[in-house]
Amino acid sequence: MDQKQFLSELEAALAPLQLKERQDILRDQEEFFREALASGRKLESIISGLGDPKILAQTLLAQSKIEQAHEHPSLGGKLKLTSGAVLAVLALAPLNFFFVIGPLVIIVSLLFAGWTTVGSLGLVTLAVGGSLFTHLHMVPFAPLGAIAGFSGLLGVLGIVVMLGMLFWIISKVCLNLLLNYLRWNVRVVQNQMKGVK
């Protein structure tokens, strides 16, 4: 395989990336070839050092997805991109399944439990508040009961809102931790691939 064929296969394997990102990667690879050849390395050595262009492309795709997810400002977008990053890492090393899925299941389970708790508390608070106000005519001293009920309801809603904000922050931190773990995982897989050659 020569340099042109290597870069052609790499470009084809990088098709899922946007054109600009694909062009940047190919430009970097061309520069790498120029510098390596100028330093006296043989073309065969350079290509064998880079490995299979398809595997290199999978690694670059995984890294790209991880970086996109890491940089996304919204929690929903970050969550969507993180799922894509997980799939890209699994495509890179299918035997790595348990090392990726284990932390993913733990984090998703904890976040699901937290958000379910916050949502349930919010719904229960609204249901109790609705019930309180619909049956207010049965309560003696209705004006005082309304004030006390409304104050209690606002207090509980305040707690629910604070818990929601806390879980929002926890969710972002957990997703960032997962992305850092995926980034580390890709580096480990890359090092293992280099060690296999």
Side-chain angles (χ1 to χ4, degrees), residues 89-101:
V89 171
L90 289 176
L92 177 63
L95 296 177
N96 201 17
F97 179 80
F98 295 106
F99 295 106
V100 173
I101 293 299

Side-chain angles (χ1 to χ4, degrees), residues 82-83 86 90 99-109 178 181:
T82 299
S83 63
V86 167
L90 289 176
F99 295 106
V100 173
I101 293 299
L104 177 68
V105 168
I106 291 169
I107 289 173
V108 168
S109 298
L178 179 63
Y181 176 74

Side-chain angles (χ1 to χ4, degrees), residues 103-124:
L104 177 68
V105 168
I106 291 169
I107 289 173
V108 168
S109 298
L110 291 173
L111 291 178
F112 181 76
W115 282 109
T116 302
T117 302
V118 169
S120 298
L121 281 173
L123 289 174
V124 166

Side-chain angles (χ1 to χ4, degrees), residues 17 27 31 46 83 126 138 162 171 174 176 184:
L17 291 177
R27 200 172 13 259
E31 180 67 25
I46 298 167
S83 63
L126 293 175
M138 301 169 156
M162 288 189 334
S171 297
C174 286
N176 283 331
W184 171 82

Side-chain angles (χ1 to χ4, degrees), residues 74-94:
S74 78
L75 185 62
K78 189 178 283 283
L79 185 61
K80 181 179 177 184
L81 290 170
T82 299
S83 63
V86 167
L87 292 175
V89 171
L90 289 176
L92 177 63

